[in-house]
Amino acid sequence: MLNFTFHNPTRIHFGEEQIQAIRDEIPKDARVLVTYGGGSIKQNGVYQQVSDALAEHSWFEFSGIEPNPRYETLMAALEVIERHQIDYLLAVGGGSVIDGSKFIAAAALFEGDDPWDIIIKRKPVAQALPLGAVLTLPATGSESNTGGVITRAGNKLSFASPLVRPLFAVLDPKVTLTLSDRQISNGVVDAFVHTMEQYLTVPVNGKVQDRFSEGLLLTLIEEGPKALAAETRDDLEVRSNIMWAASLALNGLIGAGVPQDWATHMIGHEMTGAYGVDHARSLSIVLPAVMKERREQKREKLLQYAERVWDIRQGSESERIDQAIANTEDFFRRMAVPVRLSEVDLGSSDIDTLVENLEKHRMLALGENRDIDLSVSRQILQTAL
Ligand code: NZQ
Ligand code: ZN
């Protein structure tokens, strides 16, 4: 196992009716900005619950944070913050709203020319407004991690700081019942791939991390399709298990002390940045190709994955790996997400653009061994055709 420091101080309030917990989480004298997206929270009652819980607070709102949040949108929040002397943010939504609010939290107190430098120049976040989150879409883990992904002019790039980690997060599985099938699928698949990025690497004898990861993968494989099936669609037990699995998949726990890959995400981000492919749908296309292209480098973990997650025990090593990859694709298909570039209307002529953008974004040495250079990324994309 590798050395690590693990510290996740986000207080989680999990379960039905927990939105009211924000009443006591946010200091009474705070001036709060509630940030949200395109309005789903107004249709499903979440806005009302938040507004009831904040009845004794001074609060304002900023809406319109779009999926794959854009820098320009987020910068518009700074004027609202200044005008109302906001000193606390409450993000209400999915990963995009929470990521966007993390950037707003850092940008509001940034002491430089342009907060974009936090991302493009990796300027460290020296201070940030305190942030809480009400999660409405289980997927990213953003509600209790330090990262955010922001888009500017087709450049989809990430940043991270412990100062933007939400102080608390409310996870009420009931609010996920209004998600569309597409967003349910996206969430389950994103969480699955987060787990794989931290699991399917090289063995370092991290027994606990491996078994936690396998537990999350098994849970997502078991529960994901149930959230799409008519008879179990509204089952809160199913939604609870998905919501908690997605959060644990990227709250730092399973990645502590083990190598991490993230090549699938970095390549996928270019598909979203250049062509607007949903985040999870970029991952479901790239991951199987990464598994195929890196089967030698990942051989031991692929075999462990085959046995422990898919119960594949028969056949040669190569056959077992093939079967594990086929099962992964089959699971993605059951979750109704694409597994080939052609399914999102991308072809070989688009690979040049994607590879150029990887180069522009300095994604030159990806993967747990930093050995996925541009030529390997190109090969992965070709395999995904
Ligand atoms: O904007 P509203 O109206 O709220 O609608 C949203 C949005 O259109 C809707 N939605 C959310 N909760 C709902 C709901 N609709 C009905 N009922 C509900 N309860 O869903 C749509 C998608 O929301 P979004 O926040 O974009 O989805 P997701 O949570 O999948 O977030 C994706 C973003 O997170 C980033 C991605 O790159 C992408 O920008 N990621 C963040 C990570 C992190 N911070 O650690 C890691 C991930 O790998 C990922 O990169
Ligand atoms: Zn992701």
Side-chain angles (χ1 to χ4, degrees):
M1 204 186 299
L2 312 177
N3 289 359
F4 66 88
T5 301
F6 177 69
H7 177 63
N8 186 331
T10 303
R11 186 180 295 112
I12 304 287
H13 298 280
F14 192 98
E16 269 186 80
E17 310 300 330
Q18 289 277 40
I19 290 178
Q20 50 189 295
I22 63 182
R23 187 191 318 263
D24 298 322
E25 277 287 2
I26 303 179
K28 286 288 180 310
D29 58 353
R31 294 178 65 79
V32 186
L33 186 66
V34 173
T35 50
Y36 59 98
S40 70
I41 64 164
K42 290 221 161 148
Q43 280 142 29
N44 61 12
V46 171
Y47 180 91
Q48 191 56 49
Q49 290 185 60
V50 168
S51 119
D52 291 348
L54 290 179
E56 293 157 29
H57 285 81
S58 262
W59 65 280
F60 304 85
E61 58 184 73
F62 178 79
S63 64
I65 300 179
E66 60 279 269
N68 307 306
R70 288 174 46 240
Y71 169 80
E72 292 76 10
T73 306
L74 306 172
M75 292 301 281
L78 299 189
E79 191 267 320
V80 183
I81 287 174
E82 202 174 332
R83 181 156 28 106
H84 297 297
Q85 298 173 307
I86 298 296
D87 55 16
Y88 205 108
L89 298 182
L90 179 65
V92 185
S96 294
V97 169
I98 301 174
D99 282 10
S101 304
K102 288 174 173 178
F103 187 73
I104 295 170
L109 302 183
F110 183 69
E111 288 183 343
D113 295 336
D114 184 353
W116 185 245
D117 288 349
I118 295 169
I119 291 176
I120 202 75
K121 294 189 182 158
R122 301 255 153 236
K123 285 260 166 78
V125 175
Q127 44 186 343
L129 292 174
L131 171 72
V134 175
L135 181 69
T136 62
L137 196 172
T140 62
S142 185
E143 65 277 10
S144 78
N145 71 32
T146 59
V149 190
I150 309 300
T151 300
R152 187 179 190 182
N155 301 299
K156 188 172 172 161
L157 298 167
S158 59
F159 77 107
S161 164
L163 294 175
V164 300
R165 189 198 300 269
L167 299 176
F168 70 89
V170 177
L171 279 66
D172 176 350
K174 197 167 179 188
V175 311
T176 73
L177 291 177
T178 54
L179 287 167
S180 63
D181 283 0
R182 187 182 183 107
Q183 296 304 342
I184 293 171
S185 297
N186 283 355
V188 169
V189 169
D190 193 20
F192 186 91
V193 179
H194 293 159
T195 311
M196 293 290 266
E197 298 273 27
Q198 300 162 87
Y199 169 76
L200 196 71
T201 58
V202 288
V204 292
N205 203 19
K207 287 179 185 289
V208 176
Q209 294 92 325
D210 280 4
R211 289 193 162 105
F212 266 128
S213 294
E214 287 150 3
L216 295 175
L217 295 171
L218 285 164
T219 303
L220 292 165
I221 291 166
E222 229 168 77
E223 304 297 284
K226 289 188 201 162
L228 294 178
E231 20 350 316
T232 38
R233 207 183 181 287
D234 293 339
D235 187 333
L236 275 183
E237 293 294 321
V238 169
R239 300 303 182 113
S240 300
N241 280 303
I242 291 174
M243 200 169 207
W244 190 221
S247 209
L248 288 172
L250 199 47
N251 75 344
L253 179 70
I254 62 169
V258 297
Q260 302 193 15
D261 181 341
W262 298 106
T264 298
H265 268 71
M266 295 309 118
I267 298 171
H269 282 175
E270 300 305 347
M271 289 165 61
T272 307
Y275 301 107
V277 177
D278 290 4
H279 173 61
R281 290 161 174 253
S282 74
L283 307 177
S284 59
I285 292 168
V286 178
L287 179 69
V290 168
M291 294 167 89
K292 289 170 197 166
E293 281 305 311
R294 305 315 272 170
R295 60 187 292 144
E296 277 317 312
Q297 294 80 356
K298 293 179 182 292
R299 188 180 59 85
E300 286 177 70
K301 284 311 260 309
L302 274 165
L303 288 167
Q304 181 178 323
Y305 168 69
E307 180 175 325
R308 296 200 195 164
V309 175
W310 294 107
D311 201 22
I312 299 166
R313 291 156 196 278
Q314 311 269 305
S316 66
E317 287 193 351
S318 182
E319 284 164 350
R320 279 179 272 154
I321 289 172
D322 284 343
Q323 190 59 53
I325 297 171
N327 287 13
T328 308
E329 290 189 343
D330 181 54
F331 167 61
F332 288 161
R333 287 203 178 90
R334 271 186 287 141
M335 290 310 299
V337 292
V339 294
R340 294 288 181 275
L341 284 169
S342 54
E343 294 174 59
V344 293
D345 297 326
L346 297 181
S348 38
S349 59
D350 301 304
I351 291 179
D352 286 340
T353 306
L354 294 169
V355 174
E356 273 164 31
N357 288 350
L358 282 167
E359 183 169 22
K360 179 173 151 200
H361 298 139
R362 312 298 298 160
M363 299 295 162
L364 309 174
L366 303 176
E368 63 273 16
N369 295 320
R370 305 285 162 256
D371 56 357
I372 300 187
D373 59 13
L374 291 178
S375 68
V376 180
S377 288
R378 179 181 291 280
Q379 194 51 50
I380 288 168
L381 286 162
Q382 256 144 13
T383 302
L385 281 170

